[in-house]
Amino acid sequence: MMGPAHSLSGAAAWLGVGAAADAAGYPMPWPVLVCGALICAGAALAPDLDHKSATISRAFGPLSRIVCEVVDALSHAVYKATRMRGDSNRNGGHRTLTHTWVWAVLVGGGMSLLAMEGGRWAVLGILFVHMVLAIEGLLWRAARVSSDVLVWLLGAAAAWILGGILDQPGNGAHWLFTEPGQGYLWLGLPVVLGALVHDIGDALTVSGCPVLWPIPIGRKRWYPVGPPKGMRFKAGSWVEIKVLMPVFMLLGGLGGLGALGYI
């Protein structure tokens, strides 16, 4: 799928988690619901860091382009080192390592650890990166005609404001994890969810997605998981834009209302 659909699906997924958490007796304070939805929307773009033309690869200027090249090379190396006889030869690392559940868990766990141990500035950094990505994904038309600096300033402002709100007692710094020293431990959850939602979205497209790596399926370790070929679609096609994106908006709205206790 394309960036806007990925981000929208990520936001909808977190709002759905909010509704499920409320039903299970762990209601999210509204700042957690809002921040989590935006982080998840941004994180849903992150697996495409292995592609030089992806939104995330140009979101932070030269820095993200350099990181993209490194991640692409790393992903390609891991693919070559672990592929089985049934896996094809590849020239790049797109839709390999960063499109697996292993990557999602490692990155999400790293974000949780960084947020918990790094203090306020680490939290603000995580928020800033994901706010910028959320703006690029959810407001992609406006972001593309704006300067990068303007998007960065908007992301920094959003991170600063939301970080200050979360720091207030009862606003969610210790949501779900209440023991001393576990503040913001939850912050990795929307990161994991966003990456997995991205992978599921890509699995619906023609190429599929090796989300189950390194579990071998048949003669392939990088098996492109997906529905039957007749049910797949091309990224950016009318199915994605006119069917899936409205569905994500509807599900996100229902999830948000459920999370807030209105339904």
Side-chain angles (χ1 to χ4, degrees):
M1 291 197 299
M2 305 299 286
H6 278 311
S7 284
L8 194 57
S9 66
W14 184 258
L15 293 171
V17 167
D22 183 74
Y26 298 96
M28 292 181 185
W30 72 264
V32 173
L33 186 68
V34 172
C35 287
L38 291 173
I39 291 172
C40 202
L45 296 179
D48 277 344
L49 192 55
D50 60 4
H51 195 295
K52 64 181 180 180
S53 298
T55 301
I56 187 175
S57 299
R58 58 176 182 269
F60 299 96
L63 176 60
S64 54
R65 286 193 288 272
I66 292 172
V67 174
C68 168
E69 293 176 1
V70 172
V71 171
D72 179 47
L74 173 64
S75 299
H76 189 211
V78 172
Y79 180 86
K80 290 195 299 182
T82 62
R83 72 187 183 94
M84 296 172 64
R85 291 184 177 180
D87 293 308
S88 62
N89 290 319
R90 300 178 62 101
N91 294 321
H94 181 48
R95 285 203 186 186
T96 55
L97 179 61
T98 62
H99 287 68
T100 66
W101 69 269
V102 175
W103 178 272
V105 171
L106 288 176
V107 172
M111 291 295 176
S112 285
L113 183 62
L114 179 62
M116 187 173 60
E117 300 292 341
R120 175 173 171 76
W121 287 105
V123 172
L124 288 175
I126 294 170
L127 288 175
F128 168 70
V129 169
H130 289 92
M131 292 306 110
V132 169
L133 293 177
I135 293 167
E136 291 279 3
L138 297 175
L139 303 177
W140 66 282
R141 290 186 184 275
R144 285 196 173 183
V145 299
S146 301
S147 68
D148 288 340
V149 174
L150 181 59
V151 174
W152 299 340
L153 288 174
L154 183 56
W160 186 267
I161 292 170
L162 291 173
I165 293 173
L166 283 170
D167 279 340
Q168 298 301 314
N171 277 0
H174 285 84
W175 175 72
L176 200 59
F177 302 97
T178 58
E179 296 297 320
Q182 292 185 344
Y184 292 108
L185 184 57
W186 64 268
L187 214 57
L189 297 179
V191 176
V192 175
L193 181 61
L196 292 177
V197 168
H198 178 109
D199 295 344
I200 293 171
D202 277 356
L204 299 176
T205 63
V206 173
S207 300
C209 184
V211 62
L212 296 180
W213 178 88
I215 301 170
I217 300 177
R219 298 173 61 246
K220 296 183 178 182
R221 194 178 300 280
W222 296 90
Y223 186 85
V225 176
K229 291 187 177 181
M231 298 176 62
R232 303 185 188 189
F233 58 88
K234 292 184 178 180
S237 68
W238 67 270
V239 175
E240 178 180 329
I241 297 171
K242 295 186 177 182
V243 177
L244 292 182
M245 290 182 69
V247 168
F248 294 152
M249 293 179 68
L250 176 61
L251 293 178
L254 293 174
L257 290 174
L260 295 172
Y262 290 110
I263 58 175

